[in-house]
Amino acid sequence: MNTIPRDFDPIPSTRYQVRVAVVPLKQAADEADALAVPVAAGVEPPEELGTDLAGLESAGFTGKRGQTLVLPRADGPVRVAVGIGDRGEADATLVRDLAAEFARAVPWHKKLAVEVASEDFGVSVADFAQAVTEGVLLARWRYFVGRDAEQPTLESLLIVASDDDTAAAGVERGRIVAAACSLGRDLANCPATTLSAVRMAEVAAEVGGAAGLEVEIFDKEQLIAMGCGGILGVNRGSVEPPRMVRLRYQPADPTGRIALIGKGVMYDSGGISLKPSDESHAQMKNDMTGAAAVLASMTALRDLGCTAAVTGYLMCTDNMPSGSAMKLGDVLTMRNGTTVEVLNTDAEGRLVMADALALATEEPVDAIVDIATLTGACLRTFGVEIAGVMGNNSGVVEQLRRAGDSVDEPVWELPLHRSYRSQLDSTIADLTNMGGVNAGSITAALFLEEFIDGKPWAHVDIAGTAQLPAPRTWRNKGATGFGTKLLIEFALRFARPTGGAA
Ligand code: BES
Ligand code: ZN
Ligand code: ZN
């Protein structure tokens, strides 16, 4: 059991509330300490900037997309020129990015203001307000548990608009999405000893309950009774007990039924197949980012009016080496009766996911989506900005791709090439957990497919996107919590898949 004191709150950023309000320009000028002013390339800037094109150019500001310049003033808020580049080909993604650049340009200012300029960007007032809210709140999010942890980095965001109702609706959606992402990031960044599987389940009960979800927590004895040999096998080396959390969002007259399954390996040492003590090992507290994204996204569903029913499974355990750990060559019996010969204890993600996939198929469901930091091969393939997706149903895969595009969490499909399935053949069991050296992301997905009983399914591999080496626009450095926005959007737009087998 966890013997250290509970030294800090695992989800600190969710405790402070940033005030986001729609106000007239005069009020923003009185209250804000920094005001964003969009400036197109080579065009005279609006008067409120207090300087002209020549003045900007003399300071090296050309209006290039994403460029910022802070202009001090004797009176009122500092003006921040934000380059929008050439007009045209703009969308909500650009608005979100530029709002984030603005927020990062004035890191010490606590009251920011942005004027709605939806026409310039070809998006609706509501979408503009939502994108600004997300961009600013997420750019200014931070995970910090040191001395001034209580100091909020941002107090208020003022959205300047005349049409308050439409703008306010966008602000509200942006606030809900940003809060969910912040939760996902907090969980991903919290150290593994503080955020054990037990603690993760406690957080799920707290935030899930507050968001109107039904939360069921399954302990080790219950998992034994349920025959969940995958998560139990992985847990064997750990002194921390496992937890499975099942979350349910149940709207009246649902328009579809989705199951979301998240890998919650709270810390992946590799087990007996111990990882080397390199940089990638040092990031393995984020091996629960899939579970974080499932939990975080589900906290937003009620408030965003999702009409599909969603059941979430968080598969939470450490993967540790010890005298009681899984041995190479051991055979596990999974929830659906499949036997698996463990040839590498570091391929543990597929083992914990298998039990939940099998459980998800036992109830009526229109689509199963799993999300996991599953393979280093996916990081090699796509880098840190694109997640991989594979599945047995082109409709589910396509809905994920579209959702990812629209929220700027891109996913790209790899082929689920079935002839590679023979790489998972075992001499003594139904399959092994280890494919060959090549196409590791694909063989991992083929392993998962053994547990979905032909139901429409897609698997999202976020091993690459789970961490970023440097911040970029609204994306943070470190453990990112990638997937929260993707899953929210997928659930909101969900339509029963008509697509055939992929
Ligand atoms: N959690 C890792 C995958 C990972 C790697 C996530 C890098 C994020 C960054 C996973 O459990 C793992 O170790 N996978 C092995 C599988 C192999 C042993 C078949 C891998 O990818 O090397
Ligand atoms: Zn591993
Ligand atoms: Zn792992």
Side-chain angles (χ1 to χ4, degrees), residues 223-282:
L223 291 166
I224 292 171
M226 292 162 78
C228 292
I231 188 171
L232 289 166
V234 173
N235 181 252
R236 266 184 13 218
S238 181
V239 292
E240 300 283 350
R243 289 288 185 267
M244 181 178 87
V245 182
R246 185 162 63 198
L247 307 157
R248 290 194 198 271
Y249 168 70
Q250 188 64 50
D253 304 320
T255 52
R257 285 156 302 186
I258 306 169
L260 300 178
I261 295 158
K263 173 176 172 182
V265 173
M266 311 311 292
Y267 173 63
D268 181 11
S269 70
I272 293 292
S273 312
L274 191 64
K275 289 180 184 292
S277 294
D278 61 10
E279 203 183 323
S280 80
H281 186 163

Side-chain angles (χ1 to χ4, degrees), residues 263 268 270 275 280 283-284 286-287 319 344 346-350 373-377 379 433-436 440 461-464 466-467:
K263 173 176 172 182
D268 181 11
K275 289 180 184 292
S280 80
Q283 288 168 346
M284 282 304 143
N286 75 20
D287 211 21
N319 183 28
N344 189 320
D346 198 10
E348 85 298 341
R350 61 197 77 183
T373 45
L374 209 61
T375 63
L379 168 63
N433 73 332
M434 180 71 186
D461 193 332
I462 55 171
Q467 68 286 310

Side-chain angles (χ1 to χ4, degrees), residues 362-485:
E362 293 170 21
E363 298 182 355
V365 66
D366 298 311
I368 299 171
V369 173
D370 78 76
I371 182 163
T373 45
L374 209 61
T375 63
C378 193
L379 168 63
R380 294 271 169 268
T381 306
F382 290 119
V384 294
E385 292 196 13
I386 302 165
V389 63
M390 281 156 274
N392 64 359
N393 182 289
S394 55
V396 181
V397 169
E398 184 57 18
Q399 288 185 48
L400 281 163
R401 211 192 48 72
R402 291 218 184 116
D405 271 1
S406 86
V407 300
D408 201 13
E409 283 193 337
V411 299
W412 199 266
E413 188 177 11
L414 287 171
L416 195 61
H417 192 61
R418 299 223 168 60
S419 74
Y420 292 171
R421 164 64 182 77
S422 59
Q423 293 182 32
L424 300 170
D425 287 345
S426 160
T427 45
I428 66 162
D430 293 320
L431 66 162
T432 79
N433 73 332
M434 180 71 186
V437 288
N438 298 318
S441 303
I442 296 173
T443 51
L446 288 167
F447 180 97
L448 298 178
E449 193 183 20
E450 296 289 315
F451 300 90
I452 53 101
D453 194 25
K455 300 273 162 44
W457 155 80
H459 153 65
V460 182
D461 193 332
I462 55 171
T465 54
Q467 68 286 310
L468 259 193
R472 188 171 79 76
T473 63
W474 54 275
R475 298 156 182 83
N476 63 294
K477 176 181 169 159
T480 57
F482 181 102
T484 303
K485 271 157 41 101

